[in-house]
Amino acid sequence: MIEPVYQPSPSRYENGMIFRRAGRSGVQLPALSLGMWHNFGSEQTFSNVQEMAHYAFDHGIVYFDLANNYGPAYGTAEENFGRLMERSFRPYRDEMFIATKAGYDMWPGPYGNWGSRKYLMASLDQSLRRMKLDYADVFYSHRYDPETPLEETLQALVDIVRSGKALYAGLSRYPLEAERFAFRYLAERDVPCLLFQDKYNLFNREPETSGVLSLAAESGSGFVAFSPLAQGLLTGRYLNGIPQDSRMAEGRSLRSDVLTDAMLARIRGLNDLARRRGQTLAEMALAWLLSDKRVTSVIIGASSTAQIADNLRALENTSFSSEELTEIDALSRG
Ligand SMILES: NC(=O)c1ccc[n+]([C@@H]2O[C@H](COP(=O)([O-])OP(=O)(O)OC[C@H]3O[C@@H](n4cnc5c(N)ncnc54)[C@H](OP(=O)(O)O)[C@@H]3O)[C@@H](O)[C@H]2O)c1
């Protein structure tokens, strides 16, 4: 059977997607991006991977967030993305913003982890082969490495951009002082940091309290929020137990012991408030992040197109009254 050729929706930029400029750069990103950490690897059916990726692109989600170790298994989200490039997306490459990263354990031995030049260079070459790409749009140092001199990691990013294997450099999960040093180092070499990525959601306000969010904004870097739904806690997913097909049931990155009575009470309170606003909890949690203009894009995860559809509706109302914000703060802190 000849597979149908993918025809993206002609109205993909007219479905309500909002684009925001990444810091002081020429790049605009969709307010919602699709992350491929879970549900896009070899343990998924390729048809679901394909359906979600097509659905996203058809709705203006043109930023796809990958990393060398996404799957599961490691590498397989990038391999599936490579299949999508070959089957669907190649004609639309210039409409897409594709990110990958290196920084976590990827292959055995001392050169398959952390922040050495040796690892970052080799990993990006592998990622590009898996994704069937000539270049990535942004390549991130996935985490701060306290043992490698920061200059070595950053110079590798500079050289990667100069080589054309990535168009921009990004940083993920750097503590404040390392972020400050990195922004300066990169800017002085004319490879300014395009995007700073960190975990940010109603339950995790660290980017506000640590100062990394303000520093990104002041330094002209975009900011992208990951795990905006606290891996599914900030949705209706766990209101009535732990569904068998959920991330929590898998028990890898989201453990069931976080679902205490106190946590459930917080989720229920927020869910009620969301309902009063005419939103689902997921929509409200995403809208809350986007109500801060310093947030360039929010990277969602998903296991179905229905979830992506729900999440897209967040864009319809991203404003909050001060009473709502106060209530959200009280409810989310518990
Ligand atoms: N830089 C880093 O170190 C780092 C770390 C983590 C993540 N990230 C990036 O951020 C992306 C997103 O992270 P995340 O997957 O943790 O994000 P998330 O959006 O907080 O959680 C996604 C999960 O929430 C559930 N969900 C999503 N929408 C829903 C809806 N409308 N209703 C009910 N449930 C819904 C799904 O769970 P089920 O699967 O149970 O259905 C989905 O897999 C990753 O894919 C990755 O690209 C980066």
Side-chain angles (χ1 to χ4, degrees), residues 281-292:
L281 175 52
E283 284 166 51
M284 184 178 81
L286 298 170
W288 177 82
L289 283 167
L290 288 167
S291 67
D292 187 336

Side-chain angles (χ1 to χ4, degrees), residues 137-324:
D137 292 289
V138 57
F139 181 64
Y140 289 90
S141 161
H142 206 160
R143 64 170 159 174
Y144 170 66
D145 176 352
E147 308 249 316
T148 296
L150 194 43
E151 292 88 338
E152 176 174 334
T153 305
L154 297 170
Q155 190 59 44
L157 294 182
V158 168
D159 292 341
I160 280 167
V161 170
R162 293 210 176 122
S163 75
K165 289 181 186 179
L167 301 185
Y168 300 93
L171 302 170
S172 160
R173 313 194 84 158
Y174 271 49
L176 185 68
E177 286 317 311
E179 179 194 20
R180 196 187 309 281
F181 180 89
F183 282 166
R184 196 172 319 122
Y185 187 97
L186 293 171
E188 283 170 3
R189 282 149 188 88
D190 297 325
V191 181
C193 179
L194 181 75
L195 295 172
F196 187 86
Q197 185 167 142
D198 213 349
K199 190 197 296 185
Y200 189 24
N201 60 52
L202 281 171
F203 288 154
N204 177 26
R205 309 291 185 87
E206 241 181 87
E208 293 164 17
T209 51
S210 69
V212 298
L213 174 59
S214 309
L215 181 62
E218 287 156 18
S219 310
S221 168
F223 182 94
V224 288
F226 74 75
S227 294
L229 302 172
Q231 300 201 52
L233 287 176
L234 285 163
T235 73
R237 201 88 165 98
Y238 301 105
L239 280 174
N240 301 303
I242 303 175
Q244 268 197 337
D245 61 350
S246 64
R247 193 179 292 188
M248 194 176 283
E250 255 176 31
R252 288 189 187 124
S253 62
L254 183 62
R255 291 166 40 150
S256 57
D257 54 15
V258 298
L259 203 60
T260 57
D261 288 347
M263 173 58 86
L264 263 174
R266 289 158 89 190
I267 298 171
R268 291 211 172 97
L270 288 165
N271 190 55
D272 289 345
L273 174 54
R275 245 201 326 245
R276 277 185 268 134
R277 281 173 49 85
Q279 291 183 313
T280 64
L281 175 52
E283 284 166 51
M284 184 178 81
L286 298 170
W288 177 82
L289 283 167
L290 288 167
S291 67
D292 187 336
K293 296 287 177 277
R294 296 173 300 179
V295 175
T296 314
S297 187
V298 168
I299 312 177
I300 56 162
S303 60
S304 67
T305 53
Q307 289 179 352
I308 300 174
D310 179 20
N311 297 341
L312 279 164
R313 282 190 289 273
L315 301 175
E316 292 167 15
N317 180 9
T318 58
S319 41
F320 293 82
S321 67
S322 51
E323 291 79 22
E324 283 173 332

Side-chain angles (χ1 to χ4, degrees), residues 34-43 63-81 99-106 119 123 127 130-131 140 142-143 172-173 197 226-227 247 252 299-301:
L34 185 63
M36 299 194 163
W37 177 29
H38 284 261
N39 308 320
F40 288 86
S42 54
E43 291 179 11
Y63 172 11
F64 293 87
D65 190 75
L66 291 111
N68 55 0
N69 60 353
Y70 287 178
Y74 287 3
T76 61
E78 290 185 329
E79 277 168 19
N80 275 337
F81 195 82
T100 192
K101 322 181 188 77
Y104 286 91
D105 59 308
M106 185 59 197
Y119 171 45
S123 181
S127 290
R130 283 190 289 267
M131 295 192 291
Y140 289 90
H142 206 160
R143 64 170 159 174
S172 160
R173 313 194 84 158
Q197 185 167 142
F226 74 75
S227 294
R247 193 179 292 188
R252 288 189 187 124
I299 312 177
I300 56 162

